[in-house]
Amino acid sequence: MTEDNYSLTTEFILTGFMDHPDLKTLLFVVFFTIYLITMVGNLGLVALIFMERRLHTPMYIFLGNLALMDSCCSCAITPKMLENFFSEFRMISLHECMAQFYFLCLAETTDCFLLAAMAYDRYVAICSPLQYHTMMSKQLCVQMIIGAYIAGSIHPTIHVVLLLRLTFCGSHQINHFFCDVLPLYRLSCVDPYINELMLFTFAGSIQVFTIAIVLISYVCILFTIFKMKSKEGRGKALSTCASHFLSISIFYGSLLFMYIQPHSDQEGDKDVIVAICYTLVIPLLNPFIYTLRNKEVINVMKRVMNRKPHNILKQISSPMTN
């Protein structure tokens, strides 16, 4: 194919939700509400963990970083989607496309490693409680978080660099509400086999590795719980793990369905539905999943809400000065 036979595409049209123009106002209100609740819930949880010394433990530090990445995920996707509801052209440049995918992949990859670290933390807390402070030291906690961010940064960089080898021609419509690599592969006039192979290899390896840590941790946790003689102890242990396991199940289930299964050119609608789950619904639910079932966090929230505003500002500034 010569250059005369096609024009290279440097801008794309996001066609997600265009099939329902009569519902655009309702959809805008729904997704704008989800965005506000997501940002307030996640950033509020980050602030709460940051300013409350009682929550400066590995479990809550991991949770705070998870909430931060959920905020990043929502910020990468939702503003452009909301703009497109009332935009005439719904255009997004190739560079904006890559930036949107980069920050989404950064958040999702970091989440995978943070969830695995949280599973290991629960394993140590329940299976080796007397050795918890030795096995889950602050130094190890910081190393795990730094490792999660490094992996989260490297993974999308690989795919963005590989995207630069592709050229896009013909149709410039993406049947999605954000720029993801799978719709871009379908628009490529260069065979994206290498890109798809690298996506399958790296995304699959990350998910298999982190899921293995989660499963091994929870198998050990369940064996320990079943050995407990106290019903109260069993209930407390199960309650501690239930929120985390629920969040993991939804998150990994949607990611596995999206990126690991074989894809065809006709899967756009299915991609949109699954993507809504892991880009919008999970970041919305996580703060509530982890806080509503956690008495310690609820008690801290009540105590913070009962403080006077100047005491709250003093509490926020004190960790910065220490």
Side-chain angles (χ1 to χ4, degrees):
M1 185 180 290
T2 64
E3 191 172 344
D4 294 335
N5 293 332
Y6 62 85
S7 59
L8 296 181
T9 301
T10 58
E11 290 186 321
F12 304 96
I13 298 176
L14 298 173
T15 63
F17 306 117
M18 283 185 66
D19 294 337
H20 309 283
D22 51 324
L23 297 176
K24 67 179 183 179
T25 302
L26 175 62
L27 290 172
F28 176 88
V29 172
V30 170
F31 288 122
F32 182 67
T33 303
I34 290 175
Y35 179 61
L36 284 181
I37 296 174
T38 300
M39 296 306 294
V40 171
N42 283 289
L43 294 181
L45 185 57
V46 171
L48 186 70
I49 293 170
F50 176 76
M51 68 183 189
E52 182 56 50
R53 292 182 180 276
R54 288 180 57 187
L55 300 181
H56 291 180
T57 61
M59 181 177 73
Y60 293 110
I61 294 173
F62 289 137
L63 179 56
N65 283 274
L66 184 70
L68 188 63
M69 285 297 96
D70 283 344
S71 301
C72 175
C73 177
S74 188
C75 285
I77 299 301
T78 313
K80 186 66 178 179
M81 180 185 66
L82 294 175
E83 175 190 336
N84 286 340
F85 276 119
F86 298 100
S87 173
E88 182 179 355
F89 300 107
R90 296 169 171 250
M91 301 295 292
I92 184 169
S93 70
L94 179 61
H95 293 97
E96 286 179 309
C97 225
M98 291 185 178
Q100 194 177 60
F101 166 72
Y102 177 87
F103 287 107
L104 174 65
C105 188
L106 165 68
E108 301 295 349
T109 304
T110 306
D111 275 358
C112 286
F113 287 97
L114 288 173
L115 289 169
M118 292 171 72
Y120 176 74
D121 175 75
R122 291 300 84 206
Y123 156 74
V124 176
I126 293 174
C127 299
S128 304
L130 298 179
Q131 298 177 314
Y132 180 79
H133 294 291
T134 303
M135 295 177 65
M136 276 302 299
S137 63
K138 288 186 178 180
Q139 183 180 3
L140 178 60
C141 177
V142 171
Q143 289 173 347
M144 285 181 168
I145 291 171
I146 293 174
Y149 281 109
I150 291 174
S153 301
I154 293 174
H155 185 220
T157 301
I158 292 170
H159 298 303
V160 169
V161 169
L162 287 172
L163 277 173
L164 295 175
R165 66 176 283 272
L166 303 180
T167 53
F168 305 94
C169 54
S171 173
H172 57 287
Q173 293 188 351
I174 298 178
N175 185 22
H176 220 312
F177 61 93
F178 69 92
C179 259
D180 200 1
V181 287
L182 298 177
L184 286 176
Y185 292 166
R186 298 183 189 117
L187 299 181
S188 174
C189 48
V190 176
D191 186 0
Y193 172 76
I194 295 177
N195 298 66
E196 292 174 338
L197 179 62
M198 291 298 102
L199 179 67
F200 180 85
T201 301
F202 283 101
S205 299
I206 289 169
Q207 292 188 43
V208 168
F209 174 72
T210 53
I211 288 175
I213 293 175
V214 170
L215 291 178
I216 293 171
S217 298
Y218 273 97
V219 167
C220 295
I221 287 171
L222 288 174
F223 274 118
T224 302
I225 290 175
F226 289 144
K227 290 179 182 178
M228 291 181 179
K229 296 180 180 180
S230 169
K231 290 185 178 180
E232 184 179 349
R234 287 183 184 178
K236 186 176 180 181
L238 286 171
S239 178
T240 302
C241 298
S243 301
H244 182 236
F245 193 75
L246 175 62
S247 177
I248 284 174
S249 300
I250 300 172
F251 178 77
Y252 279 113
S254 57
L255 281 186
L256 286 169
F257 185 87
M258 187 74 175
Y259 292 109
I260 302 303
Q261 65 160 351
H263 284 267
S264 68
D265 293 338
Q266 307 299 323
E267 290 181 342
D269 293 337
K270 230 192 314 186
D271 289 351
V272 170
I273 295 172
V274 178
I276 288 174
C277 181
Y278 74 84
T279 60
L280 301 177
V281 176
I282 293 175
L284 169 70
L285 294 179
N286 271 346
F288 302 100
I289 290 174
Y290 284 108
T291 57
L292 294 180
R293 293 178 58 87
N294 192 311
K295 292 182 180 179
E296 187 173 4
V297 175
I298 292 175
N299 291 334
V300 169
M301 288 176 63
K302 290 179 180 178
R303 191 163 63 251
V304 169
M305 291 174 67
N306 289 331
R307 293 174 186 165
K308 294 181 180 180
H310 69 273
N311 288 335
I312 295 177
L313 292 175
K314 184 178 178 181
Q315 187 77 14
I316 293 175
S317 61
S318 62
M320 299 180 183
T321 57
N322 290 340

